């Protein structure tokens, strides 16, 4: 059964490779592929993914340009709630760019321009009048390299809520009897416990966060993102700078978090994506979303020949 | 590899020849220190040491060293000493030695033998060329010892035979009758030759080759660093020794001996009397002091810092965090760099022409503060900007991803992380403005030797008035004195002679010492602040 499907797939791929060759000659535009990659035309149905429940993010025809560079080409995908979505693909395929579109971190890059719609809970985040502070409170982010602030562990965790005005601390608050010191302690313990770091650091909350190991720093960054009580957690290769033990801790953590949060994770490591995610989106060279579906299906029975080649390690 | 040299992996115990080379390095270092001491007149070259005249002793040491090094090099060439030399000492050494010998040959020919331009030129070229050939052509052991050793032998011979003795003078014959005397020439020649010989000996000690070059360079770098520290130390020590007698004139301890001070309505008497820092200059004083100038300097620096730091840091925040990077920020950068290099007298003139007429039309403390603040401003901008640029962008990204606004990110992440750098800038700037004379001379200087009653009292000077702006401070609008200005007028302009200053020489040195102490005190405050903020940022 599987074999038959695969052979059909190969035929289809060969067909589409021909079509794209013809197209290429006609339009004069070469299809962007790297060495070893099969030529084929991406089909819309490969990226259709049906799921039960609500979509947290609905992305429609998203294009991103860095100056003249077209980094993301017409990406449309719906991301289901309370699940782990993995974005995989070779370097420079636009998966981090896509992730950064979900909380508008691309705004911070001057050359970047974004076209298309992204809806969070049915509300467009690229429309006028959007409150970026509120958006980023709801959509937390963890970066590739651990980047705790040069402050104490406690201050790192409580930084977001304090700056949002949700918690009041400091001299004046103490003086006026409005200080939320107890709430801060609660928040710190809760966030660190969620990030599976509490037992390791509970006796040194006043120490500088830069004194923690790389894996601990990364979990601290996750705890810091959780402290603002987001709905969504975006992770940009959170384990790429960590050793295997720290990586497995982060993976377990991601798995636990998916019960309460919608997690979108970019990774280079395909085993990791297969282990931890519920659905997988494959971006390939040129900033195209080639295939999106249930993780099991994408890894075991990919519809696209290019995706199969990529997953089996023929290129990328 | 052709010509590759195989050397021992483990060298044997220190051989006798190595010990000789090490001893030569040691003697050369001592000789270098001795010549530096002579240069700064800690040792006088007319003295005798154990019955031997100092010059002859220096000469004999040089002679001995030179012969030793030459002997080592020749011994190595003839195979008596096991070394590992390269085929040549190298182009850099050859050019340096030919330059040195060119000068030596030329000077001897023109000054000692009185040859004309063509004559001394010829001799100089011949000696320079010979030195080049001797350094570059033979093997490294000859090339790096012979030119250095022979120079030391030559200088030593000149000193020992008395051709250059304590009474020797080289009259340059210029209008101001400038001349090099023995007190200067002998230590300089000795120091130079001992450095060269030490380098040669160090190379010999390392057995030439890569290791020898390493040892030679190491020695030069170390001696250089040490002599710089020594000069710094000497400078401070010199001021302290000269200044101490005047500083502690009439110092006495005991309850109630000191002057009375009123602070916040509470009057107390100091338990010590230190006239030099507690008095001004007055006819009836037993011992005169510089209190008004000390107070003036301290208030001047405080005022300038209060004026320049908020403005400078604010400007730096704007150009690094808010402004578009482009033509505008480039222009601001060039302008601030240019302002920082602007001579202080220009700032002084600006203060005199622009500030003084607008601030009560007289020289005043406030005008001085603002002028020095303008001088401090560019450095604060430059260093704050550098410090903020050095704050990693990851911090800003992380903060933005948490939904924190830009200003709050700057205030709670960027500025704290940049503080040590900003404080460093302020320290450097304060070091410059605290010792500045020219702007003070033009904008705030009052009497040269003010009495103690004219000590500026900025805090006590604030008073309420009935018309806007309802607060005024006449103290800020009065001319006063500052330490560098007072020192300048006491020494250069020769004023103060007529005042009741008993020992003007002591008084000047003590003023210099106090200025040094005040500036170093500001440094100490700045460094402690920086240390505090750095500790907060780092994991400890």
């Amino acid at each position: 059964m599987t074999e038959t499907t695969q052979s059909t797939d190969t035929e289809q791929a060969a067909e589409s490779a021909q079509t794209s060759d013809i197209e290429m000659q006609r339009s004069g535009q070469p299809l962007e592929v790297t060495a070893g990659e099969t030529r084929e035309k991406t089909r819309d149905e490969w990226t259709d993914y049906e799921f039960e429940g609500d979509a947290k993010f609905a992305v429609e025809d998203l294009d991103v340009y860095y100056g003249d560079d077209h980094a993301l080409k017409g990406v449309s995908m719906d991301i289901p709630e309370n699940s782990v979505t993995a974005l995989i693909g070779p370097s420079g395929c636009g998966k981090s760019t896509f992730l950064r579109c979900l909380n508008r971190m691309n705004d911070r890059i001057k050359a970047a321009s974004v076209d298309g719609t992204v809806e969070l809970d049915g509300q467009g985040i690229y429309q006028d009048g959007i409150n970026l502070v509120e958006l980023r409170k709801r959509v937390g982010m963890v970066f590739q390299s651990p980047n705790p602030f040069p402050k104490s562990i406690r201050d790192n965790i409580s930084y977001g809520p304090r700056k949002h005005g949700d918690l009041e601390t400091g001299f004046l608050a103490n003086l006026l009897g409005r200080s939320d010191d107890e709430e801060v302690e609660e928040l710190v313990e809760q966030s660190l416990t969620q990030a599976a770091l509490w037992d390791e650091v509970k006796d040194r909350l006043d120490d500088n966060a830069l004194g923690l190991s790389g894996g601990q720093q990364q979990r601290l960054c996750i705890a810091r993102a959780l402290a603002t009580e987001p709905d969504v957690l975006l992770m940009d290769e959170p384990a790429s700078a960590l050793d295997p033990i720290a990586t497995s801790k982060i993976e377990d953590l991601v798995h636990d978090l998916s019960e309460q949060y919608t997690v979108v994770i970019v990774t280079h490591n395909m085993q990791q994506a297969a282990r931890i995610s519920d659905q997988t989106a494959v971006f390939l060279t040129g900033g195209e979303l080639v295939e999106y579906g249930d993780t099991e299906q994408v890894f075991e029975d990919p519809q696209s020949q290019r995706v199969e080649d990529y997953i089996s390690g023929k290129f990328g | 590899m052709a010509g590759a040299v195989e050397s021992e992996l483990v060298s044997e115990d220190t051989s006798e020849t190595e010990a000789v080379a090490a001893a030569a390095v040691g003697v050369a270092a001592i000789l270098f220190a001795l010549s530096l001491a002579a240069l700064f007149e800690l040792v006088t070259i007319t003295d005798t040491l154990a019955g031997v005249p100092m010059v002859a002793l220096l000469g004999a040491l040089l002679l001995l060293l030179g012969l030793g090094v030459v002997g080592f090099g020749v011994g190595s060439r003839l195979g008596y000493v096991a070394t590992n030399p390269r085929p040549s000492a190298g182009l850099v050494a050859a050019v340096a030695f030919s330059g040195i010998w060119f000068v030596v040959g030329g000077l001897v020919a023109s000054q000692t033998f009185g040859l004309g331009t063509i004559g001394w030129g010829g001799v100089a070229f011949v000696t320079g060329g010979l030195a080049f050939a001797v350094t570059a052509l033979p093997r490294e052991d000859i090339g790096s010892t012979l030119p250095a050793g022979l120079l030391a032998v030559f200088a030593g011979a000149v000193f020992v035979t008395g051709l250059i003795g304590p009474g020797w003078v080289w009259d340059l014959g210029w209008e101001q009758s400038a001349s090099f005397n023995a007190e200067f020439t002998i230590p300089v020649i000795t120091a130079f030759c001992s450095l060269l010989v030490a380098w040669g000996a160090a190379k010999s000690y390392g057995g030439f080759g890569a290791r020898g070059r390493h040892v030679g360079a190491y020695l030069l770098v170390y001696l250089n660093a040490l002599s710089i520290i020594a000069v710094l130390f000497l400078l401070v020590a010199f001021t302290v020794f000269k200044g101490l007698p005047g500083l502690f004139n009439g110092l006495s301890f005991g309850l109630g001996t000191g002057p009375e001070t009123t602070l916040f309505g509470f009057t107390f008497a100091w338990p010590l009397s230190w006239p030099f820092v507690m008095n001004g200059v007055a006819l009836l004083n037993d011992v005169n002091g510089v209190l008004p100038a000390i107070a003036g300097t301290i208030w001047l620096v405080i005022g300038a810092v209060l004026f320049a730091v908020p403005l400078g840091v604010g400007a730096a925040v704007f150009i690094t965090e808010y402004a578009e990077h482009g033509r505008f920020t480039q222009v601001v950068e060039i302008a601030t760099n240019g302002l920082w290099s602007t001579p202080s007298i220009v700032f002084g003139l600006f203060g005199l022409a622009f500030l003084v007429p607008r601030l009560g039309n007289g020289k005043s403390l406030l005008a001085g503060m603002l002028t020095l603040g303008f001088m401090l401003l560019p450095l604060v901008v430059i260093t704050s900007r550098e410090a903020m640029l050095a704050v990693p962008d990851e911090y800003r990204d992380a903060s933005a991803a948490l939904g924190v606004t830009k200003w709050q990110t700057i205030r709670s992440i960027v500025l704290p992380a940049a503080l040590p750098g900003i404080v460093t800038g302020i320290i450097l700037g304060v070091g410059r403005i605290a010792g500045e004379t020219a702007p003070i001379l033009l904008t705030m200087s009052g009497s040269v030797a003010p009495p103690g009653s004219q000590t500026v009292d900025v805090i006590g000077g604030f008073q309420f008035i009935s018309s806007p702006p309802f607060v005024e401070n006449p103290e800020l609008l009065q001319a006063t004195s500052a330490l560098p200005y007072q020192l300048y007028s006491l020494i250069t302009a020769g004023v103060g002679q007529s005042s009741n200053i008993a020992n003007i020489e002591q008084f000047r040195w003590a003023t210099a010492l106090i200025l040094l102490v005040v500036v170093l005190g500001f440094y100490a405050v700045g460094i402690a602040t920086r240390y505090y903020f750095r500790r907060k940022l780092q994991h400890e």
Side-chain angles (χ1 to χ4, degrees):
Chain A
M1 168 82 183
T2 332
E3 271 178 27
T4 359
T5 346
Q6 271 201 340
S7 70
T8 342
D9 267 333
T10 329
E11 275 168 32
Q12 272 181 356
E15 238 177 63
S16 42
Q18 275 180 350
T19 347
S20 68
D21 267 342
I22 296 162
E23 262 186 8
M24 191 181 83
Q25 281 162 4
R26 199 170 45 213
S27 64
Q29 285 254 322
L31 182 73
E32 279 182 61
V33 286
T34 48
E37 209 177 328
T38 323
R39 291 168 187 279
E40 66 173 358
K41 192 164 166 49
T42 312
R43 298 181 178 203
D44 283 345
E45 63 262 28
W46 295 344
T47 58
D48 285 343
Y49 174 54
E50 302 286 329
F51 52 86
E52 292 167 17
D54 296 330
K56 192 73 193 173
F57 276 110
V59 181
E60 203 68 49
D61 290 329
L62 188 69
D63 284 278
V64 177
Y65 304 83
Y66 293 123
D68 294 332
D69 185 22
H70 198 170
L72 214 54
K73 291 173 185 159
V75 174
S76 303
M77 66 188 279
D78 289 351
I79 294 172
E81 219 173 5
N82 293 353
S83 66
V84 180
T85 307
L87 311 178
I88 61 173
S91 300
C93 67
K95 53 194 189 305
S96 291
T97 300
F98 178 77
L99 192 77
R100 291 169 68 93
C101 285
L102 298 181
N103 66 345
R104 292 193 60 165
M105 282 298 278
N106 275 335
D107 293 14
R108 295 176 54 73
I109 302 170
K110 285 203 184 73
S113 68
V114 179
D115 199 17
T117 58
V118 178
E119 288 182 355
L120 172 68
D121 294 326
Q123 285 176 300
I125 64 169
Y126 279 94
Q127 61 181 318
D128 291 341
I130 179 88
N131 182 349
L132 275 187
V133 170
E134 194 55 38
L135 171 70
R136 288 178 184 157
K137 265 172 83 174
R138 291 195 198 171
V139 184
M141 188 164 190
V142 177
F143 294 83
Q144 181 170 5
S145 54
N147 53 359
F149 300 127
K151 295 171 179 289
S152 72
I153 295 174
R154 180 184 285 112
D155 285 352
N156 261 286
I157 302 288
S158 61
Y159 176 76
R162 274 191 290 129
K163 296 300 153 191
H164 296 144
D166 297 343
L167 291 174
E168 272 196 74
T169 53
F171 180 69
L172 190 65
N174 270 329
L175 209 65
L176 299 174
R178 278 199 224 135
S179 176
D180 295 320
D181 284 340
E182 283 169 29
E183 282 90 335
V184 168
E185 291 306 309
E186 253 170 59
L187 176 80
V188 168
E189 178 170 357
Q190 184 199 329
S191 307
L192 285 173
T193 313
Q194 268 186 307
L197 191 60
W198 173 250
D199 290 333
E200 289 166 56
V201 299
K202 63 182 172 195
D203 298 324
R204 44 180 184 140
L205 293 177
D206 288 319
D207 287 8
N208 196 305
L210 296 181
L212 298 173
S213 74
Q216 289 174 327
Q217 287 190 7
Q218 191 61 298
R219 275 178 287 152
L220 178 71
C221 291
I222 296 176
R224 182 177 67 188
L226 294 177
T228 55
E229 293 173 359
D231 304 335
V232 184
L233 203 55
L234 308 177
M235 297 180 146
D236 192 353
E237 300 181 39
S240 70
L242 305 180
D243 64 275
I245 295 172
T247 303
S248 82
K249 281 186 181 165
I250 301 269
E251 286 181 10
D252 292 346
L253 180 58
V254 169
H255 186 259
D256 296 342
L257 290 175
S258 67
E259 286 168 20
Q260 286 180 53
Y261 303 91
T262 308
V263 180
V264 184
I265 182 167
V266 167
T267 176
H268 260 306
N269 182 335
M270 280 178 276
Q271 285 76 28
Q272 190 177 59
R275 274 196 301 268
I276 61 175
S277 67
D278 299 310
Q279 53 274 333
T280 301
V282 186
F283 288 77
L284 290 182
T285 323
E288 264 185 306
L289 173 63
V290 179
E291 188 157 350
Y292 175 46
D294 201 62
T295 299
E296 219 163 292
Q297 177 260 313
V298 169
F299 277 93
E300 288 179 5
D301 182 24
Q303 291 168 297
S304 156
Q305 181 64 34
R306 287 169 72 199
V307 169
E308 183 173 343
D309 289 351
Y310 173 66
I311 286 169
S312 54
K314 283 193 189 154
F315 73 94
Chain B
M1 237 196 306
V5 186
E6 187 108 338
S7 54
E8 299 283 314
L9 185 61
V10 180
S11 53
E12 287 149 36
D13 296 337
T14 315
S15 62
E16 285 156 21
T17 46
E18 267 185 352
V20 170
V25 175
V27 173
I30 292 172
L31 197 56
F32 182 68
L34 203 64
S35 53
L36 275 191
L39 193 59
F40 288 101
E41 295 171 10
L42 296 178
V43 178
T44 36
I45 55 164
T46 45
D47 280 355
T48 54
L49 202 70
V52 186
M54 186 55 91
V55 180
L57 182 73
L58 290 177
L61 275 174
L62 274 180
L63 204 60
L64 196 71
L65 270 174
L67 286 176
V69 168
V70 169
F72 199 98
V74 172
S76 161
R77 183 69 186 92
L78 297 178
Y80 297 121
V81 185
T83 53
N84 201 6
R86 297 261 177 91
S88 163
L91 194 62
V92 175
V95 169
F97 276 126
S98 67
I100 293 165
W101 277 100
F102 179 89
V103 171
V104 171
L107 283 179
V108 170
S110 65
Q111 303 302 318
T112 314
F113 298 111
L115 298 182
T117 312
I118 299 169
W120 78 253
V123 173
F125 272 110
V126 168
T127 50
L130 265 179
F132 189 91
V134 168
T135 316
L137 297 183
R139 228 168 62 172
E140 191 189 10
D141 43 7
I142 292 288
S144 54
T145 53
L146 214 57
L150 285 183
L151 188 69
V153 169
F154 177 64
V158 167
F159 290 162
V160 169
T161 52
L163 280 175
I164 293 182
W168 181 85
V169 166
W170 175 21
D171 191 348
L172 292 175
W174 290 339
E175 283 179 33
Q176 303 292 324
S177 67
S179 59
F180 285 124
N181 57 8
E183 273 92 29
F184 175 74
T185 317
I186 291 176
V188 167
I189 292 179
T190 314
F192 188 72
C193 291
S194 62
L195 257 187
L196 278 184
V197 174
W199 174 75
K203 277 189 96 168
S204 317
Y205 174 73
F208 307 101
R211 184 161 173 265
R213 286 171 192 215
H214 164 74
V215 177
Y218 193 71
L219 179 97
L220 285 189
V221 170
Y222 250 70
L223 278 181
N224 183 31
L226 278 179
S227 46
I228 286 172
I229 295 170
V231 168
L232 273 179
F233 181 78
L234 205 80
L235 233 158
V236 175
F238 195 68
T239 316
V240 170
F241 278 125
K242 291 274 196 178
L244 273 182
L247 189 61
F248 291 125
N249 251 348
L251 180 71
S252 64
F253 295 94
L255 277 178
T257 49
E260 288 189 341
T261 306
T262 307
L263 213 63
F264 305 114
F266 174 72
T267 306
F268 67 97
W270 291 85
L272 82 166
S273 170
W274 189 354
F276 191 77
V277 300
M278 288 176 172
N279 285 352
V281 174
L283 270 175
L284 296 175
N285 280 349
D286 288 337
V287 180
N288 285 305
V290 292
L291 176 64
I294 295 176
T297 297
I298 291 176
W299 277 116
L300 200 57
V301 169
I302 291 176
V305 167
L306 283 183
F307 170 70
V309 169
L311 273 184
V313 174
V317 165
F318 176 73
I319 17 180
T320 17
E321 304 287 331
Y322 287 101
E324 293 269 331
H325 287 261
R327 193 54 50 86
F328 175 69
T329 47
Q330 275 174 3
V331 168
V332 171
E333 207 158 300
I334 293 169
T336 43
N337 287 338
L339 268 181
W340 177 240
S341 350
T342 304
S344 60
I345 187 78
V346 177
F347 279 99
L349 274 175
F350 168 75
L352 179 67
F354 185 83
L355 293 175
V356 169
R358 285 163 178 78
L359 297 170
N361 212 5
K363 293 181 181 180
S364 65
L365 180 59
L366 190 60
M369 284 172 172
L370 291 180
T371 310
L372 291 189
F374 283 129
M375 278 185 64
L376 184 58
L377 198 53
L379 191 71
V380 174
V381 174
I382 295 168
T383 49
S384 308
R385 181 168 149 71
E386 291 297 323
M388 279 179 225
L389 285 177
V391 175
D393 262 345
E394 279 106 59
Y395 292 166
R396 297 185 181 91
D397 279 347
S399 188
L402 287 169
V404 175
T405 55
K406 191 164 194 166
W407 166 242
Q408 279 179 318
T409 304
I410 292 168
R411 215 190 62 106
S412 356
I413 304 290
V414 178
L415 279 182
L419 257 181
I422 297 175
V423 174
T424 305
I426 299 172
I427 296 174
L428 287 175
V430 164
R432 182 184 178 194
I433 61 163
E436 204 54 75
T437 313
I440 299 172
L441 182 76
L442 293 177
T443 56
M444 69 166 265
S445 56
S447 105
V448 176
S453 59
Q454 278 185 21
T455 304
V456 62
D457 176 14
V458 173
I459 295 174
F462 283 103
Q463 49 191 247
F464 294 105
I465 50 174
S466 58
S467 57
F470 303 112
V471 174
E472 66 164 13
N473 193 340
E475 293 282 338
L476 278 177
L477 293 176
Q478 265 173 12
T480 181
S481 187
L483 285 166
Y485 164 69
Q486 184 151 358
L487 191 60
Y488 159 79
S489 7
L490 284 175
I491 292 174
T492 314
V495 284
Q497 303 274 27
S498 53
S499 312
N500 180 29
I501 296 173
N503 188 339
I504 189 82
E505 185 75 13
Q506 265 191 5
F507 194 83
R508 288 167 181 166
W509 278 111
T511 311
L513 178 56
I514 282 285
L515 176 59
L516 195 67
V517 168
V518 168
V519 172
L520 291 182
F522 280 121
Y523 266 47
V525 171
I527 289 169
T529 320
R530 181 173 63 183
Y531 179 74
Y532 170 75
F533 286 122
R534 215 173 253 173
R535 275 289 293 267
K536 258 178 89 168
L537 283 179
Q538 282 160 0
H539 48 92
E540 259 148 39

